């Protein structure tokens, strides 16, 4: 049996040599529903004893006109020595077609540290049921006469929840009965 060992890129070691860190390391805007997703924030920490000027470049996802923008006075920000700077992120443009949209924010600096990348993602649901996932008591097995609570989630083709879907249950075999529906439509 042969074993393959992980071979790191020459750039992998650069991550350990940087004086700049970013929190969070990724940005998820969540689901773009009826309203645009809420803005997010990145915090840049400079652990060196010199101020560091950052420059940003946003790589847009393909499809649609929506794009992530950095809400700052310019395309660059200065992080003080041993300090932090915050940059707000938001999405501009029209809501794109349903799908998963990914891009990245590239961050370079004037101190020779390696460039960093912050991946981001947002989702646009299509609202069409594609799958139903049983979450609890999907087997309906138990003692005769015992009640069972069924919990499930309905998702679209992107794995996003479908809300407001009306449903009803009725027994088809075995003489069971539906005692009560807690909801008549999906809530998430």
């Amino acid at each position: 049996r042969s074993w393959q060992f992980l071979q790191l890129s020459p750039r992998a070691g650069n991550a350990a040599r940087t004086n700049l860190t970013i929190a969070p390391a990724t940005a998820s805007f969540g689901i773009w529903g009826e309203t645009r997703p809420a803005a997010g924030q990145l915090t840049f920490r400079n652990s060196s004893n010199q101020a560091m000027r950052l420059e940003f470049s946003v790589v847009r996802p393909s499809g649609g006109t929506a794009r992530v923008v950095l809400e700052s006075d310019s395309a660059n920000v200065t992080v003080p020595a041993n300090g932090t700077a915050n940059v707000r992120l938001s999405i501009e443009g029209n809501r794109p077609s349903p799908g998963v949209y990914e891009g990245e924010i590239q961050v370079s600096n004037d101190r020779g540290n390696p460039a960093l990348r912050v991946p981001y993602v947002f989702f646009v649901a299509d609202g069409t049921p594609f799958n139903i996932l049983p979450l609890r008591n999907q087997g309906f097995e138990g003692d005769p006469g015992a009640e069972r609570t069924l919990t499930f989630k309905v998702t679209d083709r992107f794995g996003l929840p479908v809300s407001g879907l009306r449903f009803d249950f009725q027994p088809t075999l075995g003489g069971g009965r539906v005692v009560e529906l807690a909801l008549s439509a999906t809530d998430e």
Side-chain angles (χ1 to χ4, degrees), residues 125-129 156 161-163:
D126 68 9
T128 302
D156 68 10
V162 176
S163 60

Side-chain angles (χ1 to χ4, degrees), residues 28 30-32 60-63 96-103 120-126 156-160:
S28 175
I31 300 171
W32 188 337
R60 283 180 29 167
S62 61
S97 301
V100 178
Y101 294 88
E102 300 171 302
Y120 67 83
V121 65
F122 63 91
F123 308 91
V124 179
D126 68 9
D156 68 10
R157 64 189 164 129
F158 304 107
L160 302 172

Side-chain angles (χ1 to χ4, degrees), residues 6-15 17:
L6 176 66
Q7 209 174 19
L8 296 177
S9 156
R11 295 183 304 173
N14 288 343
R17 290 194 298 266

Side-chain angles (χ1 to χ4, degrees), residues 10-113:
R11 295 183 304 173
N14 288 343
R17 290 194 298 266
T18 186
N19 292 321
L20 178 67
T21 58
I22 308 169
T26 62
S28 175
F29 290 94
I31 300 171
W32 188 337
E34 296 300 317
T35 59
R36 190 179 315 276
Q41 178 175 288
L42 296 176
T43 299
F44 296 88
R45 178 173 299 280
N46 175 3
S47 60
S48 75
N49 57 5
Q50 295 180 343
M52 188 181 301
R53 189 169 147 257
L54 307 178
E55 293 184 6
F56 305 102
S57 172
V58 179
V59 178
R60 283 180 29 167
S62 61
T65 60
R67 63 190 180 103
V68 169
V69 294
L70 291 93
E71 297 176 5
S72 64
D73 294 337
S74 63
N76 60 64
V77 169
T78 298
V79 185
N82 295 304
T84 61
N86 297 322
V87 174
R88 287 179 45 86
L89 306 171
S90 63
I91 297 178
E92 286 185 349
N94 296 323
R95 182 178 174 203
S97 301
V100 178
Y101 294 88
E102 300 171 302
E104 69 180 22
I105 301 160
Q106 298 173 346
V107 183
S108 59
N109 62 78
D110 65 345
R111 294 285 170 230
N113 289 296

